[in-house]
Structure formats: C-alpha cells, structure tokens
Amino acid sequence: MSGTCVIGLQWGDEAKGKIVDLLTPQHDIVVRYQGGANAGHTVVVGDEVYKLSLLPSGVLTPGVTCVIAGGVVINPAKVIEELDELVGRKVEDCDNLLLSDRAHVIFPWHFAEDRALDTNTTDGENIGTTQRGIGPCYRDKVGRSLALRLGDLYHDEFAAKVEHICEAKNPVLQAMKPEGFEPLDAAAITKQYAEYAERIRPYVADTTDYLLNAVEDGKRVLFEGAQGSLLDVDHGTFPFVTSSNSSGVGVASGSGLPAKHVGHVLGIVKAYSTRVGGGPFPTELHDATGQQIRDQGNEYGTVTKRPRRCGWIDTVAIRYTTRLSGVDAVSVMLLDVLSGVGELSICTDYDLNGERSRRFPSHVDDLRRVKPVYETMPGWDQDVTGARELGDLPAEARAYLKRVSELIGVPVEYASVGPERTQTIAVGAGAL
Ligand code: GDP
Ligand code: IMO
Ligand code: MG
C-alpha cells in the first residue's frame, strides 16, 4: 500500500496544492481523479506562484509522472493553456503527462448550460458554480446518450457525433436562454476540437492500465483531491456541492485503482473555514473578524476571484468528513492567518431545535437551522510565518492545534504558516 491521498475536508481551497507539491518528491506519480478546471490549486516555489486548475500540482517536480485520470472532466483548451504557461515559465518537464482517454470532455454547450442552470435551482438560492461547465459535463456522462470522452476525439465518427449533439442541444438551449447564447455551430466546434486533439495527442492514454501496471511495479502514487469533502455530490451539503465525489470515496472510481492502494489519507483543513458560492455555512462570520480573516488570508477565489466567505473552524463538519474520507491525519493550513485575530472560537457541537449533537445534518434545511456551539481559546499576536518547528509557535497556537486535533479525532501531521514550501512544520506523533 504505497499510495497517499490528499483530501480537502471543508468546502475546498484548504491549500491542497501546497501539500501535494510538498509530498510529490516522495512519490513517482501524481493523479488528479475527479473534478476539472473548477479547481484552483496554488503552488509557491520561491518567488514563483503557480495556479493550476487541471494539471496535477506534481507537475512542478521534475521526473514525476502526472496523470489526469478518467474521473476528471477535461477542458482541452485549459490543458493546452496550462502547458503553454508552464513551458513559457521554463518548467521543462511537461513530457510526463498522461490524460485518460476515458475522461469526459467539456464542450461549449456545457458552459452555456452552466450559465443557464446555476440561477435556476429548486432551492431558490444559487449554487454559485465556477461556470467551468463541470456539472453539465458530468450530467451528460451519467446520461450517456449525449456525451463524448477524450478517446472519441480520435475516432472517425467524431464530426457526426458533435453534429448529433448540437442538433439535440440547440432547441433546448434556445429555450433555456443562457446569457449571450448563440446557436451551437457543429462544424466550427468539430474543427476547434480536432485542433485541440492534435495538440494533446501525445499525452492521451489508457491511464487505468498505466496505473494498474505502475502499482504492480511498486510505484508510489499520490492522489490529489480537488474541491473538499463538504462539496461531495453524494455526501456534501447537497445541492450546494460540485458534481463529483470530492471526498475520499471518489479515489477508486475516479482513478481506476482499487482503494486498497491508498495507504495513507491526509486530510487538509484551514485553521478556520471558508466557502465560495452558495449554501449553508453554520460558522460564517459577517463581522469585522470575518473581514480580518479574509484580508489576512487573502481569501479571494483562485479561479473566479470571488471573495470567499469566512468563519470559525467547524469541528462538527471536519469530524464528519474525517470519518467519511477515512482520514489518518490532518494538515492544518494557514495558521499564520489567525495571528492578531484575538480570542478564537472553535465550533464543537451543533444545536438543532434545542438538541445538542455532533452529527452533521444530511439535509440542507437542518444545516441552515443549526446554531454552532463554541468553545473559546486565547489567540496570539506574534507573527508565526517564520516558525519551522513546533517549539517556534506560541503556546496558544500549539494549544489550538491540540484542541482541534482532539475534537476531530485524528493527529496533526503538518501545520502550515505560509504559502512557501519551507513554511511548513512537521508535527511528530504525540508532539502536541
Ligand atoms: P487549494 O485549492 O486547496 O489548493 O487551495 P488554494 O490554492 O485555492 O488556496 C490556498 C491559498 O492559500 C493559496 O493562495 C496558497 O498559496 C495559500 N497558502 C497555502 N498555505 C498557506 C499558509 O499556511 N498560510 C498562508 N497565509 N497562505 C497559505
Ligand atoms: P479547489 O480544488 C472551492 C464550488 C463552487 C460552487 C460549487 C459548485 O480549488 O479546492 P462547480 O463549478 O464545481 O459546479 O461549483 O463548488 N467549488 C469550489 N470551491 N474550491 C474549489 O476547488 C471548488 N470547486 C468548486 O464555488 O459553490
Ligand atoms: Mg482552490
């Protein structure tokens, strides 16, 4: 069991990219297995900041093979854009990239459907999607009749299939009236995607076969989760979720590798909470403290630049996702952002209709109604961005980590005090 899995335990943007980049040298292969270009993973190497949406964060480490597996929905234009940007910035080793021929492809109609449906939910509140066509592409995948996979781009019937889909989609889209909609032009789309197909041809492969062989050969695989477990389509805050299994349950289906190859699940959490888009957020702060966290944490979306909603850490939610994703240990990120915030609140329980519980509600209406029960702890004013070991942190910060760990039920493996690789504290077992 040589695989490691990095999973977000909140609503995304937990700084998974930083940890994947950090752990990549101990692995041979890094795999993205769900989601698509809705992700925005930031990796900081010295003065250079890389924002990756589709390419695995391992791409910045030479010699490592990066795989975009069958569970991902691929926008080929975005793959090309990210490859060009990396090569333009002198990252030489983009040859070791494999794109699954089973991965479903995002087409212009998916963007149009995303625009039309996001503001038209049964719930009344907008999901606030990233508008990257993710939900519509996954819907077509599950619906089967109007879906195209990467492998289809290289088959003779590709043009006829695009034409068939455009004929089916045009009248529906016309009725849905997405903003700025122009009828789909099958010939133009075919031509454009044929060009993309040529450009990415060297990377397209049967990645399931590749990965199955790799684990048999003893290769070490790092699975890079996108989004966070609370955005999981089956287990998250439905319908305010993404359209894939972004908790640990998605690793096997998305990668094609049996779950037994995951030896260690590392959950990633922020030292507080954030959420982008709609949906319930029990510990959200609408006050000056929320704004202070947003400013100090630069909490604006990597992909959409939207201000992220900010709040206190919620250990009811994290304990739930820790258990759901089979997490062995957590990495607590952005601890430095809490410096100077004052007294810190930790949500330990929910009060639902006068009853106190640690169960994370399955229905969104209950989650909207819960009142978080808080425990408070003293904060710290010191700048901790220079801390490199546990002993460099103020006692209050160590006590905060310890309490969070106790409440969610797993040890802390790393604490992060800045975006750079070096701004990471390895927390030894039992050290807190
Ligand atoms: P991801 O989607 O989970 O990879 O996270 P994002 O990249 O969307 O957001 C995390 C942001 O926090 C990025 O801008 C990172 O560079 C930054 N970051 C990562 N770790 C730390 C940290 O410990 N402290 C601070 N201040 N920023 C961090
Ligand atoms: P990373 O990998 C934070 C959110 C969107 C929206 C909902 C559905 O960077 O952590 P979608 O476009 O997927 O249909 O949007 O999910 N969302 C994310 N929020 N981080 C992400 O990815 C996200 N990917 C999707 O804001 O609320
Ligand atoms: Mg992100």
Side-chain angles (χ1 to χ4, degrees), residues 11-13 16 38-41 127-130 226-227 241-242 276 306:
W11 283 286
D13 300 328
K16 300 173 291 294
N38 48 351
H41 296 179
I127 296 173
T129 77
T130 58
Q227 290 79 55
V241 292
T242 190
V276 210
R306 290 176 291 178

Side-chain angles (χ1 to χ4, degrees), residues 55 65 73 90 153 309 322:
L55 299 186
T65 300
V73 285
K90 299 202 174 21
L153 267 54
R309 299 157 65 191
T322 294

Side-chain angles (χ1 to χ4, degrees), residues 62-74:
V64 163
T65 300
C66 286
V67 174
I68 301 184
V72 174
V73 285
I74 294 186

Side-chain angles (χ1 to χ4, degrees), residues 10-12 118-119 121 123-131 230-231 236-242 274-282 284 286 304 306-309 364 367-368:
Q10 295 156 307
W11 283 286
D118 188 37
T119 50
T121 64
D123 189 87
E125 186 181 348
N126 294 352
I127 296 173
T129 77
T130 58
Q131 298 287 311
L230 295 171
L231 289 171
T237 53
F238 191 88
F240 302 98
V241 292
T242 190
T274 62
R275 169 161 214 173
V276 210
F281 180 176
E284 183 168 13
H286 298 281
T304 57
R306 290 176 291 178
R308 294 177 182 148
R309 299 157 65 191
V364 78
L367 196 58
R368 281 195 178 109

